[in-house]
Amino acid sequence: MDRLLVTGGARLSGAVRISGAKNSALKLMAASLLAPGRTVLENVPRIQDCRTMGEVLEHLGAEVSWAGGSVTIDAERIGPPEAPYELVRRMRASILVLGPLLARVGRARVAMPGGCNIGSRSIDLHVRGLERMGARFAFEHGFLEAEARELRGALITLDFPSVGATENILMAAVAARGTTVIENAAREPEIVDLASFLVEMGARIGGAGTTTIVVDGVDSFRPVRHRVIPDRIEAGTFAIAACATRGSVVLEGARPDHLELVLSKLAEAGADVLVTEAGISVGIEGRPRAVDFVTLPYPGFPTDLQPQMMALLATAEGTSIATENVFESRFMFVDELRRMGADVRTEGHHAVIRGVERLQAAPVRALDIRAGAAMTIAALAAEGVTEVADMYHVDRGYEDFELKLAALGAEVRRERLPSPVPS
Ligand code: UD1
């Protein structure tokens, strides 16, 4: 139940090392279930979500050990293929063990997910895709039970390029008999990382990173060593934080090709963006200008940076319009931003942000991982000391968040509060 005390006003400056991508590491950890033996993943961020996925894998019978930023997963033996509610409730991405379990042992029992409170986020596309490959599903007592005596290749056209559905289907298709074609597939860099990992393990995949992925099923997989790609959302968060404080940071290890639209939107707002050997340098002189942006599946503007961008535009010169197309209730944090004096009005999936000169400190809450990062950014730009409560959300997704901010000159202090004792 920790909270972060942020004294606004300090300009961020210096270099920050970008961690491995949460949204890639989680899927690679799940995919390691496919190969009997010891898989080693490097550059895994030490964050709560990755620890939770480790617990899910241990529950499934794998041995998981951590050393620095590396995780070794020994999936030689798999026990009963069940992901319990206690773990899935903490992290929705736990359902990504479904595909690999169906591929490895032909059945899975996964609790229905909870996770971030940002819209309905059903899993119908995962289920329908796996059904096309011959899996049979039943919902029993809050659990999704899946069985597939044999997975067969199929043509699967997704209604929407869902990241998770593309990944679950891909992780099952690699072991299916015959060829699977995923049309309208998600194109996120994390999908490409997963496909590269699977190919190293022995899978045959073409077209990852495009809208059509073609998979020829194979019989066996070998464990490998793989390095997780850098986290584009963490990089974007620090780039936006730098601009919100009228500062300048170097994002060490970030991939500019994964951040094209984000960087061009920041440039449109007045930032200087420079790609150097050391990393991506992002800085701004004076007040940012208003910009409109629209969230879309990759390569569109990422929904996972929408709240942070809104926090930046809250003090821009002029009026911006943000349109959220991926998650229906991702504007819930706007009420928190308004508590700090932001002038934001939402109407359906549009938000109108009239930039104000300065935000004011106020007690606010982190409502989810990215909303928590956004409130911290608003606090860094505000006058006074802001308390951001419920930092556990941010800890799910950002490695050493306030330590990295402090190293860039932010005045941040975590207040550790004891968890409430269950009655
Ligand atoms: C992943 C990311 C998340 C990011 C999101 C979109 C992880 C662990 N999480 O989430 O941080 O915000 O991609 O970039 O990688 N949908 C359905 N039915 C389905 C699946 C999805 O209707 O079966 C809808 C969702 O409700 C949502 C949209 O599709 O509106 C996008 O969801 P999806 O791309 O699947 O996101 P996740 O994989 O859950």
Side-chain angles (χ1 to χ4, degrees), residues 17-21 24-25 28 39-44 69-70 192-194 196-197 200 224-230 252-253 255:
R17 168 129 309 264
I18 298 307
S19 298
S24 193
L28 302 183
T39 293
V40 181
L41 296 172
E42 295 170 1
N43 203 30
V44 174
S70 293
V192 178
D193 201 22
L194 174 62
S196 319
F197 175 65
E200 288 155 27
V224 294
R225 176 180 280 269
H226 180 92
R227 190 171 174 81
V228 178
I229 56 169
E252 286 178 356
R255 296 252 315 242

Side-chain angles (χ1 to χ4, degrees), residues 5-282:
L5 302 181
V6 183
T7 308
R11 281 168 205 253
L12 297 191
S13 82
V16 57
R17 168 129 309 264
I18 298 307
S19 298
K22 164 178 97 75
N23 286 351
S24 193
L26 291 173
K27 323 313 166 52
L28 302 183
M29 290 177 77
S32 67
L33 287 171
L34 287 167
R38 287 153 65 95
T39 293
V40 181
L41 296 172
E42 295 170 1
N43 203 30
V44 174
R46 280 160 295 181
I47 53 175
Q48 189 52 47
D49 271 11
C50 289
R51 282 190 283 271
T52 303
M53 184 56 93
E55 284 179 54
V56 172
L57 300 182
E58 278 174 345
H59 191 90
L60 293 167
E63 281 174 29
V64 180
S65 55
W66 301 77
S70 293
V71 182
T72 302
I73 298 158
D74 188 338
E76 187 65 39
R77 271 179 294 276
I78 298 287
E82 176 175 312
Y85 180 58
E86 190 257 312
L87 294 171
V88 180
R89 172 175 76 82
R90 278 179 8 213
M91 188 186 64
R92 187 189 135 81
S94 312
I95 58 163
L96 284 152
V97 296
L98 199 56
L101 284 176
L102 278 175
R104 171 104 187 244
V105 294
R107 62 198 173 88
R109 192 165 181 267
V110 179
M112 285 297 284
C116 279
N117 184 21
I118 49 171
S120 61
R121 311 184 82 185
S122 60
I123 57 164
D124 55 326
L125 302 176
H126 301 235
V127 169
R128 290 217 301 267
L130 294 168
E131 273 175 348
R132 299 270 303 160
M133 285 192 276
R136 294 230 303 270
F137 285 86
F139 292 93
E140 302 265 343
H141 307 292
F143 277 81
L144 185 63
E145 305 206 355
E147 204 191 355
R149 238 168 267 142
E150 185 190 59
L151 290 167
R152 302 182 297 273
L155 169 64
I156 298 164
T157 305
L158 296 175
D159 291 1
F160 183 88
S162 152
V163 175
T166 304
E167 292 165 336
N168 243 336
I169 294 165
L170 181 59
M171 288 187 280
V174 289
R177 189 163 53 83
T179 303
T180 300
V181 179
I182 313 172
E183 292 278 17
N184 201 20
R187 287 187 280 166
E188 270 67 5
E190 293 75 25
I191 305 271
V192 178
D193 201 22
L194 174 62
S196 319
F197 175 65
L198 292 169
V199 166
E200 288 155 27
M201 289 167 93
R204 295 176 60 196
I205 303 169
T210 75
T211 53
T212 305
I213 302 179
V214 181
V215 186
D216 286 320
V218 299
D219 290 334
S220 64
F221 300 90
R222 54 182 174 271
V224 294
R225 176 180 280 269
H226 180 92
R227 190 171 174 81
V228 178
I229 56 169
D231 196 314
R232 64 197 167 95
I233 305 300
E234 187 200 22
T237 300
F238 281 103
I240 293 169
C243 295
T245 62
R246 321 295 188 248
S248 169
V249 298
V250 177
L251 311 164
E252 286 178 356
R255 296 252 315 242
D257 54 328
H258 291 171
L259 283 157
E260 270 179 24
L261 192 52
V262 174
L263 296 174
S264 84
K265 280 288 158 189
L266 290 175
E268 206 181 315
D272 292 312
V273 177
L274 201 68
V275 177
T276 67
E277 289 257 304
I280 310 171
S281 147
V282 181

